[in-house]
Amino acid sequence: MKEKIKWGVKAGCAVIAFLISDILLSEIYAFLLMNLDMEERYIRAFYQTGSVLITLLMAFPIFILVMRIWGKLPRFHMKGTASLALRKYLIYAVLAIMPMLFLLGIEIFLISQGQISQEDIISLTPENMIYTLVFSCVLLPVMEEIMFRGVLLHKLLPFGTRYAILMTTCYFVIIHYNNPVNMLLSLVTGFVLTHIAVKAGGILPTIIFHIVLNLLGQVVLPLFC
């Protein structure tokens, strides 16, 4: 029990180190950008791209470094050691998409009541198209799957499957702290993705699943508003 709690705390420390470094470095980068003589749209574009690169190339290696300090990094399969039936994937997809559809319904209602505008929902514009499609919908999901369903999950699995799924999902929610709605969506999708990783025995299915979910949530569904 002590070893289980100890590794749960160590995993949490690695996630917190990731968050703190990501926030601090992004704030420093934003401060430097604001002192440049550029148009606002260019500053916004540079900030979006730069902040993601900071996450991928600086904060993520810090997470790996902290986990490596605690001990040897666990091995995990990419393709998986088991195959899941299409029926199970469809069940997982329904579970993950339901909160998105619920949120979409609320947004459509608020638009119809004039409380928010359509522009507040649809964020895919020519200025941030590359950011959304390349970074937010592809690169970040790959990083998050390696980080959570790869390293964290497999480090905690020896202490029990339920414990590993619970802690991995909780830490996944923590890094999506920016608003309550995002945290709620992350709770559902995090649980589904972690469950898939355990059942499939690898993270390639969760990477594909995660990319599809981000495309639906950030590109496809907002177009129906």
Side-chain angles (χ1 to χ4, degrees):
M1 177 62 73
K2 289 184 178 180
E3 192 70 15
K4 176 193 292 189
I5 296 174
K6 183 173 73 173
W7 268 108
V9 172
K10 286 181 176 180
C13 289
V15 173
I16 291 173
F18 167 84
L19 270 179
I20 292 176
S21 60
D22 190 42
I23 293 171
L24 286 178
L25 291 171
S26 295
E27 288 299 319
I28 293 172
Y29 178 65
F31 175 77
L32 294 175
L33 278 179
M34 293 302 294
N35 287 277
L36 296 178
D37 186 20
M38 287 193 301
E39 293 183 27
E40 184 180 347
R41 59 172 180 164
Y42 292 122
I43 291 178
R44 187 165 55 248
F46 274 113
Y47 176 74
Q48 287 180 331
T49 305
S51 61
V52 174
L53 292 176
I54 286 172
T55 302
L56 292 171
L57 302 178
M58 301 176 117
F60 178 60
I62 288 175
F63 164 81
I64 296 295
L65 177 62
V66 173
M67 289 296 293
R68 183 65 184 85
I69 291 173
W70 297 137
K72 188 177 180 180
L73 292 176
R75 290 185 178 182
F76 57 89
H77 294 277
M78 180 61 73
K79 292 185 177 179
T81 57
S83 58
L84 294 178
L86 178 61
R87 175 177 57 85
K88 290 188 177 181
Y89 277 114
L90 291 176
I91 294 174
Y92 290 135
V94 170
L95 290 174
I97 293 172
M98 280 180 64
M100 293 185 187
L101 294 177
F102 177 73
L103 179 61
L104 177 66
I106 294 177
E107 290 171 344
I108 291 175
F109 173 76
L110 292 176
I111 290 174
S112 67
Q113 298 297 309
Q115 298 185 29
I116 59 174
S117 65
Q118 191 176 22
E119 288 74 19
D120 295 329
I121 305 300
I122 300 177
S123 59
L124 190 63
T125 62
E127 288 80 9
N128 66 5
M129 185 179 297
I130 294 178
Y131 168 81
T132 302
L133 294 177
V134 177
F135 292 112
S136 187
C137 292
V138 178
L139 294 181
L140 285 180
V142 172
M143 182 209 73
E144 289 178 356
E145 290 311 307
I146 294 174
M147 181 174 170
F148 290 96
R149 262 62 67 174
V151 177
L152 272 185
L153 176 64
H154 287 80
K155 197 66 179 180
L156 298 174
L157 272 176
F159 306 108
T161 302
R162 291 183 180 179
Y163 178 75
I165 292 176
L166 174 64
M167 296 303 293
T168 303
T169 302
C170 289
Y171 290 139
F172 183 70
V173 173
I174 288 174
I175 72 161
H176 296 87
Y177 65 93
N178 52 341
N179 65 69
V181 173
N182 203 18
M183 292 181 74
L184 177 61
L185 292 176
S186 299
L187 176 63
V188 177
T189 56
F191 176 79
V192 170
L193 289 168
T194 308
H195 202 265
I196 292 175
V198 171
K199 293 294 183 181
I203 66 170
L204 182 59
T206 64
I207 289 175
I208 297 172
F209 208 88
H210 198 157
I211 289 173
V212 172
L213 286 178
N214 279 22
L215 284 170
L216 283 174
Q218 299 184 38
V219 178
V220 179
L221 291 181
L223 296 178
F224 290 90
C225 291

